[in-house]
Amino acid sequence: METDTDAAVAFGGRTVKVIPFQHASTSSPPPQQPSATLVARWGAKLRAMTAVEWMELFLPCSSWIRTYRWREYLKVDLMSGLTVGVMLVPQAMSYAKLAGLHPIYGLYSGFVPIFIYAIFGSSRQLAVGPVALVSLLVSNVLSHIVEPSNELYTELAILLALMVGILECLMALLRLGWLIRFISHSVISGFTTASAISIALSQAKYFLGYNIARSSEIIPIIRSIIAGFGEFSWPPFVMGSIFLAGLLLMKHLGKSKKCLRWLRAAGPLTAVVLGIIFVKLFHPYSISVVGEIPQGLPKFSIPRGFQHVKSLLSTAVLITGVAILESVGIAKALAAKNGYELDSNQELFGLGVANICGSFFSAYPITGSFSRSAVNHESGAKTGLSGIVMGIIMGCALLFMTPLFSEIPQCALAAIVISAVMGLVDYEEALFLWRIDKKDFLLWTITFITTLIFGIEIGVIVGVGFSLAFVIHESANPHIALLGRLPGTTVYRNILQYPEGYTYNGIVVVRIDAPIYFANISYIKDRLREYERNLSGTANRGPDVGRIYFVILEMSRRSLIFAVISQSTQTVTYIDASAVQALKDLHQEYNSRGIQIAVANPNPEVHRLLSRSGLIDLIGKEWCFVRVHDAVQVCLQHVQNLDGITPTAVDRTPRRQQNFLQSLRQHEGGGNSVVEPLLPQERV
């Protein structure tokens, strides 16, 4: 596209040096289709892979097994696995209760999937298993289909794990994880905050001593709490409050002091142990307990209830989205902190395989846990061996400890859930958004209120809808900057950001900071007309010619030198057929008023499309430039030659008969007159 050789072009007695623009050959073959290019690239990549790379592709665990440092890693992996495993056992039972399932299914969900993920997952610190948000989603959808006491309820929860796993694997294989990028962080924060409040309120029945409505909507829950207040019982409320206060205190101490960080992981187990001891000693009749829990490992069984797949599909998609947003996000953050690369699609595939295999061993949907992953990282976990240790701890609990779990108070499990989800209440994010960006704060508020009032599904739909609406609005109304020249340089920048930059009379330099396509071309045309009419507030140089003669479209964010240094991407990366036609119309409109369009530094793909469409020929190849400064120099020379001359007629002949440059030279009498330069040579 560029050459180091400058071309000297003489206009009106003055020589202007510009870098010649290399135009694409019209006889060159058309570029490969993106799909063909992608297939070829993937084919070449697969052919170049070694046997070790193939093994790491199918078994990501081999990457850390091959490089395992036994003396350095073994101790910390064992300790972190033991710590998180102790934390997982009571949390798994608590989250199963939140999902409306028997606590044993929480233990099952924390057993087989952990081993599978350790093999196929690419994160070395992510702790997978039951989590509060997914448990609430399971409860919310299944309670509308069947009562929790019905056996079908458990079968559908297990089937949901299979569906989620298949969706995760499909998205990973098709590399569709990027779709979730369209969901704003404000939506995620508002959704999780509202969900955390709903989860905490759903556990109130174990504190209050009476049943309340099972719902993800806050109004029915509050109404049922008020209606049944006459059945309030003090013993579970006092016990649950003490457990909750203790858990929060231990979590706070574990976070604030490194020497006490073991308290954070020991909190759930402490609540369970103290609860069992209290029940064993005093046998309080007013405090409900978990009840009998089957002993032994889960047996292999094929999921059932496939006739309900259609009604579960929307929830499976939602849980998959949560897995991508939460698990993959946590895994990438942990990978960055520990100095290794992580493939998001490989990570999603590992979660999918873990869910699929877990569904054949009575597990409901699992994903990565933020709290347990944080504890795993803080405990010094280096590899997936810590996950295997967690699975061993869970297996030991299933084999030997389930008889003790039958005496766990329900309020103790509820306190564990509430203490865990309180960390999801992200009010600090709302305050931050209020200070920084009112639009994102509005998005957070809409999602938060909608999720609380209308439930999780409606909240997600509304939040994602508004998030996409904002994306579409930003895309259809891109940022367009009016550029001015920084004093003493050949650099052109936004005059709103750099008020000291100056413009030239008769010339408008515009930068479009987005691809140009059908949705935004009308807005771009309107803004260009505004710039043509109104240039007040800028420091103009040169003679006052009374109107605009040239519009320069810069298609790169930075000037040539800065682009080479920073290796920045082009601003206009794409232009479609609708935009090309609109630019042709704009050219005809400008041409009728004696205004010439110039293009500066389009990228190869955009330039090739403009050439094939005939727009370059219509504008004139001589009006394509490598740098904005080259375009301005040429336009300055023409503005100088036009100074003091009022055209009496406008050349309306087609481009192929007589171009704008020819009409100017004809108007100037052949360009033989000697004209005083507009600016000193050193200023241009």
Side-chain angles (χ1 to χ4, degrees):
M1 290 286 294
E2 301 160 12
T3 179
D4 293 334
T5 305
D6 289 353
V9 184
F11 293 114
R14 179 170 173 225
T15 300
V16 175
K17 292 184 177 181
V18 299
I19 301 175
F21 190 91
Q22 301 297 322
H23 291 276
S25 173
T26 55
S27 61
S28 60
Q32 286 185 300
Q33 294 294 324
S35 58
T37 305
L38 182 64
V39 171
R41 189 165 62 247
W42 270 98
K45 183 177 179 180
L46 292 176
R47 286 191 296 271
M49 289 176 62
T50 63
V52 173
E53 291 173 334
W54 277 104
M55 180 177 293
E56 291 182 357
L57 178 65
F58 290 105
L59 295 174
C61 63
S62 62
S63 62
W64 59 263
I65 291 175
R66 289 188 302 105
T67 59
Y68 197 83
R69 303 175 185 176
W70 291 93
R71 292 184 178 181
E72 184 178 348
Y73 292 168
L74 182 60
K75 182 179 178 180
V76 290
D77 279 344
L78 291 176
M79 290 301 299
S80 57
L82 179 63
T83 301
V84 180
V86 167
M87 184 180 182
L88 173 61
V89 172
Q91 278 194 349
M93 293 188 288
S94 303
Y95 293 150
K97 293 290 291 182
L98 174 62
L101 298 167
H102 193 281
I104 190 62
Y105 293 101
L107 299 176
Y108 290 162
S109 301
F111 180 57
V112 171
I114 288 182
F115 288 106
I116 301 300
Y117 178 81
I119 297 172
F120 293 99
S122 53
S123 175
R124 303 174 188 178
Q125 286 80 28
L126 187 70
V128 301
V131 298
L133 187 54
V134 171
S135 299
L136 179 63
L137 292 171
V138 171
S139 171
N140 189 56
V141 67
L142 296 186
S143 60
H144 289 91
I145 299 175
V146 63
E147 287 294 323
S149 57
N150 195 309
E151 186 179 350
L152 179 61
Y153 187 97
T154 303
E155 293 177 357
L156 294 182
I158 296 170
L159 175 63
L160 197 54
L162 176 63
M163 295 173 62
V164 168
I166 292 174
L167 282 175
E168 289 173 340
C169 289
L170 285 176
M171 290 191 71
L173 294 174
L174 298 176
R175 307 187 73 83
L176 296 177
W178 59 269
L179 290 172
I180 308 299
R181 299 174 192 168
F182 288 98
I183 302 179
S184 166
H185 177 72
S186 305
V187 171
I188 301 170
S189 177
F191 168 71
T192 54
T193 300
S195 299
I197 294 174
S198 297
I199 291 170
L201 288 175
S202 70
Q203 299 299 294
K205 61 182 179 180
Y206 300 114
F207 277 57
L208 301 176
Y210 58 88
N211 287 327
I212 60 176
R214 178 182 291 272
S215 175
S216 63
E217 302 170 19
I218 192 171
I219 294 177
I221 295 177
I222 293 177
R223 187 183 294 123
S224 64
I225 290 175
I226 296 173
F229 199 73
E231 304 175 29
F232 175 76
S233 177
W234 280 103
F237 179 79
V238 173
M239 175 179 279
S241 299
I242 293 173
F243 284 145
L244 180 59
L247 287 167
L248 294 177
L249 178 61
M250 295 176 75
K251 181 186 290 187
H252 174 72
L253 292 175
K255 285 183 177 180
S256 58
K257 297 183 179 182
K258 285 188 176 181
C259 60
L260 298 177
R261 62 186 179 188
W262 57 272
L263 287 175
R264 182 180 179 185
L269 182 63
T270 302
V272 166
V273 171
L274 292 178
I276 292 174
I277 293 174
F278 183 85
V279 171
K280 288 283 188 182
L281 292 177
F282 300 102
H283 305 285
Y285 69 92
S286 57
I287 294 178
S288 60
V289 295
V290 170
E292 183 180 356
I293 296 180
Q295 188 173 8
L297 302 178
K299 297 180 181 179
F300 178 85
S301 62
I302 298 176
R304 293 177 288 180
F306 287 93
Q307 65 272 21
H308 296 279
V309 166
K310 187 176 180 180
S311 58
L312 298 177
L313 187 59
S314 61
T315 302
V317 172
L318 185 56
I319 294 174
T320 303
V322 170
I324 298 174
L325 293 171
E326 186 174 348
S327 298
V328 177
I330 297 168
K332 293 184 75 171
L334 292 174
K337 288 182 178 180
N338 288 273
Y340 62 91
E341 294 183 0
L342 183 138
D343 185 350
S344 300
N345 292 292
Q346 179 67 55
E347 179 66 17
L348 192 58
F349 182 79
L351 287 170
V353 174
N355 270 303
I356 291 174
C357 295
S359 67
F360 290 94
F361 292 91
S362 302
Y364 76 97
I366 60 98
T367 188
S369 166
F370 179 80
S371 59
R372 294 196 297 272
S373 299
V375 171
N376 198 32
H377 170 68
E378 292 167 2
S379 300
K382 296 297 183 182
T383 67
L385 181 61
S386 62
I388 295 175
V389 175
M390 296 177 212
I392 293 173
I393 296 297
M394 183 63 72
C396 293
L398 285 167
L399 287 172
F400 308 114
M401 300 178 66
T402 51
L404 295 174
F405 295 157
S406 62
E407 302 295 332
I408 299 176
Q410 299 269 27
C411 59
L413 296 182
I416 293 172
V417 172
I418 295 173
S419 67
V421 300
M422 285 184 71
L424 299 177
V425 179
D426 199 2
Y427 66 89
E428 292 181 352
E429 177 72 11
L431 297 176
F432 173 78
L433 294 175
W434 172 257
R435 294 193 306 268
I436 301 301
D437 192 338
K438 298 297 189 294
K439 183 192 69 176
D440 281 340
F441 175 78
L442 176 64
L443 195 58
W444 187 96
T445 304
I446 290 173
T447 307
F448 173 75
I449 294 175
T450 307
T451 304
L452 274 183
I453 296 177
F454 299 104
I456 290 177
E457 286 85 357
I458 301 298
V460 169
I461 292 172
V462 171
V464 171
F466 272 92
S467 183
L468 291 176
F470 285 157
V471 170
I472 294 170
H473 178 269
E474 292 295 330
S475 178
N477 299 272
H479 179 261
I480 301 176
L482 181 64
L483 305 185
R485 181 178 174 181
L486 300 184
T489 72
T490 59
V491 176
Y492 293 77
R493 290 291 182 267
N494 186 349
I495 59 175
L496 295 179
Q497 185 177 0
Y498 298 93
E500 67 273 18
Y502 55 84
T503 60
Y504 294 103
N505 287 317
I507 302 173
V508 176
V509 184
V510 175
R511 186 187 70 216
I512 303 168
D513 294 335
I516 306 175
Y517 69 115
F518 67 93
N520 62 17
I521 187 61
S522 296
Y523 175 81
I524 292 172
K525 288 172 63 177
D526 292 341
R527 291 297 303 275
L528 290 176
R529 294 189 184 102
E530 289 180 16
Y531 287 138
E532 178 193 348
R533 292 192 301 266
N534 182 20
L535 285 177
S536 59
T538 61
N540 292 350
R541 296 199 176 187
D544 186 4
V545 293
R547 69 180 184 88
I548 299 300
Y549 283 95
F550 297 94
V551 175
I552 302 173
L553 301 179
E554 185 194 4
M555 293 191 172
S556 62
R557 185 174 295 275
R558 293 177 173 86
S559 64
L560 177 63
I561 296 175
F562 281 81
V564 171
I565 294 173
S566 61
Q567 298 181 343
S568 63
T569 58
Q570 300 282 339
T571 297
V572 181
T573 56
Y574 170 75
I575 185 170
D576 71 354
S578 300
V580 169
Q581 186 58 47
L583 289 177
K584 286 183 178 180
D585 296 340
L586 184 64
H587 167 76
Q588 295 296 338
E589 177 186 335
Y590 278 166
N591 193 48
S592 68
R593 301 203 304 272
I595 300 174
Q596 173 66 42
I597 295 178
V599 177
N601 198 23
N603 73 21
E605 291 299 323
V606 170
H607 179 247
R608 190 177 293 112
L609 191 147
L610 295 178
S611 299
R612 291 204 307 267
S613 67
L615 184 60
I616 294 295
D617 291 331
L618 195 64
I619 293 175
K621 290 185 177 181
E622 67 274 19
W623 294 104
C624 288
F625 300 91
V626 173
R627 302 181 302 172
V628 173
H629 186 59
D630 292 346
V632 171
Q633 286 187 96
V634 174
C635 295
L636 272 174
Q637 185 65 49
H638 287 297
V639 170
Q640 172 189 344
N641 295 336
L642 287 169
D643 184 22
I645 301 175
T646 303
T648 57
V650 178
D651 178 22
R652 300 176 184 272
T653 57
R655 164 58 58 189
R656 298 183 185 279
Q657 297 179 24
Q658 187 177 36
N659 62 31
F660 187 78
L661 180 60
Q662 292 169 336
S663 66
L664 283 175
R665 286 178 173 171
Q666 184 182 51
H667 186 77
E668 297 163 9
N672 296 322
S673 59
V674 179
V675 184
E676 182 70 15
L678 179 64
L679 292 173
Q681 177 69 27
E682 63 270 13
R683 296 297 302 274
V684 178

